[in-house]
Amino acid sequence: MGMLQLGLLTSIIASNPGDYLLVFETPDCPHCQAMQATVKRLRDVGLPVQSINVEQFPDLAQQHQVRRVPSFVMIRNGRETARSVGRSSFSKLRQIMQTGRPPDRSNS
């Protein structure tokens, strides 16, 4: 299961030079489950989101330095541009995806 699936997932990510949000999660994480409606909403408005089960793909989680779930990693042109760890709002994740940067909190 591990190496073939990891290789396939890694090659899909590497071959897609576009922008997308990686969602690192586990099935038994209550915070991950709480974020499912938000992740679905992002997909429903047409934003590219790729969910990754860290139990199935620990090497990919390690590659992206994911230490806690849920973690949301914005990839733009093959590079990480933003990250959010823990529960996040739809508007925060959408802004990360649209701008490639976390929201500016200096004006809050």
Side-chain angles (χ1 to χ4, degrees):
M1 163 201 291
M3 292 308 288
L4 181 58
Q5 286 181 339
L6 176 61
L8 180 60
L9 185 57
T10 301
S11 69
I12 289 169
I13 291 171
S15 67
N16 182 356
D19 303 343
Y20 48 92
L21 185 70
L22 298 177
V23 179
F24 291 91
E25 58 191 4
T26 62
D28 59 343
C29 164
H31 296 292
C32 300
Q33 295 306 310
M35 290 301 302
Q36 289 302 308
T38 301
V39 171
K40 181 183 182 316
R41 191 171 163 204
L42 291 168
R43 286 187 179 115
D44 288 349
V45 297
L47 296 172
V49 178
Q50 175 65 51
S51 295
I52 299 168
N53 181 332
V54 299
E55 292 173 354
Q56 290 180 331
F57 301 103
D59 292 343
L60 193 57
Q62 183 178 2
Q63 175 185 338
H64 287 278
Q65 301 177 351
V66 171
R67 299 204 180 11
R68 292 180 31 215
V69 292
S71 285
F72 304 89
V73 179
M74 181 62 202
I75 303 294
R76 182 156 289 185
N77 297 318
R79 294 182 164 200
E80 179 179 333
T81 60
R83 174 180 298 244
S84 179
V85 178
R87 292 174 75 166
S88 295
S89 68
F90 172 82
S91 60
K92 177 180 180 180
L93 293 174
R94 186 173 182 163
Q95 182 174 355
I96 285 172
M97 293 183 76
Q98 290 176 335
T99 66
R101 298 184 312 272
D104 181 11
R105 293 182 165 208
S106 63
N107 295 330
S108 303

